[in-house]
Amino acid sequence: MRVDIRAKVLAALAWSAAGRFTTQLISWVITILVIRILTPDDYGLMTMSAVLISVLYAVNDLGMDAVLVQKPHLTQADRQHIFGVVLTINVFLFGMLILAAPSIAAFYDEPRVTAVIQVLALQFLFNGFDTLPLARLERELAYKGRSIVDMVSALTGSLATVILAMMEFGVWALVWGSLTTTAVRTIGLNLTARCLVLPKWPLGALRRHLKFGSSVCCYRALYIAFAESDKIIGGKLLGNDALGYYAVASHIASLPIQKLGGMLNSVAFPAFSQANLQNDGISPYLLKATRVMAIISIPMFLGISVTAPELVSLLLGEKWQIVALPLQILALIMPLRMLSTIITSLFFGIGRPHVNAQNYLLAIVVMPLMFYICATWGIVGLSIAWLIGFPFLFIFFVWRACRAVAIKPSDYLAAIYRPLCNSAAMYAAVWLARPYVAGSSGEILHLVQLVVIGMSVYMAGVMLFDRATFREMTALLRR
């Protein structure tokens, strides 16, 4: 029976959006509160400790979760073998981190990193149990249960973090908050999608899936190494406090890409997969997903960029004022990073994950070189490196995506052109209006006026020059 992909995608987006919005609204408030309480030293220490863990997390299932989502026919035995492999890998990574922690601390010349890494390694003992239920929910586009689990786990972890921060636990508030989120999420997923099986270990039975899974795994490792290379180089060359400032700027700039991007792409990957299996045309899905992402992401990130001084003064306080300029720069490149995640989902969905691996193999060569050169100018230099290097990578990614689905680059550009122009007009209007609005950068009235000006200019541009997109988004929201 033919699956109505469009209806399922819209339902999945509705549940995912509702759950994410509720969760992140509360989570962002708590995140800001925690940043105000903790110090750059705390965030620098946590960032040094979490970088390698992030890379290893990308390979902790050998890409078998993508196999569970993308492959059309899987037996019970396949699931048992996958579960056995995932459990083994996660226990191995836990042990490896325990042993490697002192060496990582020596690399940064920061002995406190050892204990933090060894405690954070406990996450891998939970992670082995979430692959099967999470893949089942994604494959079925069943996002109601997942949204509830994500909401409960994120809120529980955030509350644990803020309580411990207020009790002056320092960096350990971040550590135990992260572990709480992981533990609650794993338990919740297994209660929502009961699909655990007895593990089996013969790898020969998985040979036909390992090629696809290894490509996914390779891509993920390369992507995380690329995304975290600025922090590795910054931590080594600039020190703990400077890394803490940069990590906070990067975290705030990337909050929407972590949350909203994850929501859209967790839907996009299985949607592309089902369209591919049913021989539907992929190109309309790519262009529509790109258009929706552009309408949301470009004005949002440019808005963060142009109001960064006001946001930092109002939300974080004077001790974090140094974060404003890096945040302003980093937010400018985030729309391209968010759009690139749609391309990643496309190649996963059509069964070509090796293209993603190739793309980020290039990125892991280009960007660390840029970071190393630009780190001479401190955390502002690290931010500028993104602005210089990533646009060239994005153009290359788009070119490969257009070739894969037989569309013209001009068609892709048309999907983002009007949101980009409207957002640029918004940016200019806010920038020019800043000296004339009432209040100072630390006052909420000042920020509200700038936001109203920006939104008014953006919506005027949409209504005057982009009515078709306005009607499309209105129809989508009504559904």
Side-chain angles (χ1 to χ4, degrees):
M1 183 177 178
R2 189 178 183 83
V3 177
D4 186 350
I5 301 173
R6 183 171 176 274
K8 295 195 75 174
V9 168
L10 290 175
L13 277 171
W15 273 108
S16 196
R20 296 280 179 129
F21 179 80
T22 303
T23 302
Q24 295 315 316
L25 185 61
I26 300 172
S27 180
W28 286 343
V29 171
I30 293 175
T31 296
I32 296 302
L33 179 59
V34 170
I35 292 174
R36 292 182 70 97
I37 296 172
L38 299 182
T39 66
D41 178 75
D42 295 325
Y43 277 94
L45 182 57
M46 182 65 173
T47 303
M48 289 177 176
S49 305
V51 167
L52 180 60
I53 290 174
S54 297
V55 175
L56 295 180
Y57 182 76
V59 301
N60 76 324
D61 56 16
L62 294 182
M64 290 294 105
D65 62 323
V67 171
L68 290 167
V69 173
Q70 201 270 345
K71 295 301 179 183
H73 303 293
L74 288 171
T75 65
Q76 180 77 349
D78 287 331
R79 294 182 177 87
Q80 289 179 292
H81 292 305
I82 288 173
F83 186 39
V85 168
V86 170
L87 281 180
T88 302
I89 291 294
N90 278 276
V91 171
F92 172 78
L93 293 177
F94 166 75
M96 188 186 76
L97 281 170
I98 296 295
L99 297 176
S103 298
I104 300 168
F107 172 80
Y108 289 114
D109 194 24
E110 177 51 81
R112 292 176 295 170
V113 165
T114 299
V116 175
I117 288 177
Q118 289 175 337
V119 174
L120 284 173
L122 292 169
Q123 293 179 84
F124 289 96
L125 298 183
F126 292 101
N127 288 336
F129 292 91
D130 66 10
T131 299
L132 291 181
L134 182 58
R136 176 182 170 184
L137 292 173
E138 288 195 0
R139 185 184 181 95
E140 298 174 358
L141 293 175
Y143 281 83
K144 178 179 178 180
R146 179 180 172 178
S147 295
I148 294 172
V149 170
D150 286 344
M151 180 171 63
V152 172
S153 60
L155 293 181
T156 304
S158 296
L159 288 172
T161 301
V162 74
I163 290 170
L164 292 173
M166 294 174 70
M167 294 173 64
E168 300 184 352
F169 272 64
V171 69
W172 292 102
L174 300 172
V175 173
W176 290 112
S178 177
L179 285 172
T180 300
T181 300
T182 301
V184 173
R185 184 171 184 266
T186 299
I187 294 169
L189 286 172
N190 281 279
L191 291 175
T192 302
R194 298 174 183 269
C195 57
L196 287 183
V197 294
L198 291 175
K200 292 184 178 180
W201 280 273
L203 288 177
L206 291 179
R207 189 172 291 116
R208 68 185 185 279
H209 299 308
L210 284 174
K211 181 178 179 181
F212 182 87
S214 63
S215 295
V216 173
C217 186
C218 182
Y219 150 73
R220 288 175 177 169
L222 289 170
Y223 176 81
I224 295 298
F226 143 79
E228 300 293 327
S229 58
D230 54 347
K231 300 177 185 68
I232 297 172
I233 293 170
K236 181 64 176 176
L237 299 181
L238 304 179
N240 197 31
D241 280 353
L243 178 61
Y245 284 117
Y246 179 79
V248 167
S250 179
H251 180 64
I252 294 173
S254 62
L255 271 177
I257 201 173
Q258 294 170 8
K259 311 305 180 183
L260 182 61
M263 176 192 77
L264 292 174
N265 285 294
S266 63
V267 175
F269 170 32
F272 283 135
S273 296
Q274 291 190 24
N276 189 51
L277 289 173
Q278 296 179 14
N279 296 316
D280 282 352
I282 296 290
S283 56
Y285 289 96
L286 173 62
L287 293 176
K288 187 177 183 67
T290 299
R291 191 161 54 248
V292 171
M293 186 74 87
I295 292 167
I296 296 170
S297 66
I298 297 177
M300 176 172 55
F301 284 114
L302 265 62
I304 291 173
S305 174
V306 74
T307 59
E310 288 79 13
L311 287 172
V312 171
S313 294
L314 182 64
L315 300 180
L316 304 186
E318 289 303 316
K319 76 174 179 180
W320 291 101
Q321 196 59 43
I322 195 174
V323 165
L325 183 55
L327 174 60
Q328 202 161 29
I329 298 168
L330 289 170
L332 290 174
I333 204 63
M334 287 299 170
L336 299 188
R337 290 188 61 186
M338 203 158 180
L339 288 167
S340 70
T341 62
I342 293 288
I343 296 173
T344 298
S345 294
L346 167 72
F347 284 118
F348 280 149
I350 63 176
R352 297 174 62 184
H354 62 281
V355 177
N356 288 326
Q358 293 167 359
N359 286 345
Y360 284 95
L361 180 60
L362 175 63
I364 200 62
V365 173
V366 172
M367 292 310 302
L369 179 61
M370 295 296 303
F371 296 137
Y372 185 80
I373 293 171
C374 294
T376 303
W377 294 278
I379 62 175
V380 173
L382 288 177
S383 305
I384 291 173
W386 279 109
L387 202 58
I388 295 172
F390 191 75
F392 294 101
L393 293 171
F394 179 73
I395 291 170
F396 178 69
F397 297 168
V398 170
W399 174 72
R400 298 196 76 180
C402 290
R403 289 187 63 192
V405 297
I407 62 173
K408 298 177 181 179
S410 58
D411 293 334
Y412 187 92
L413 179 61
I416 65 174
Y417 172 72
R418 286 189 174 87
L420 181 60
C421 290
N422 293 331
S423 298
M426 174 197 73
Y427 198 102
V430 173
W431 186 274
L432 293 172
R434 177 178 278 114
Y436 305 103
V437 299
S440 62
S441 63
E443 297 176 3
I444 190 168
L445 176 62
H446 184 81
L447 177 60
V448 168
Q449 291 174 92
L450 294 179
V451 171
V452 170
I453 291 169
M455 290 179 64
S456 299
V457 171
Y458 182 79
M459 290 307 300
V462 170
M463 294 298 294
L464 290 173
F465 306 111
D466 199 12
R467 297 296 295 272
T469 297
F470 178 77
R471 287 193 295 269
E472 181 180 40
M473 291 301 297
T474 302
L476 181 62
L477 290 173
R478 286 173 179 170
R479 294 187 185 100

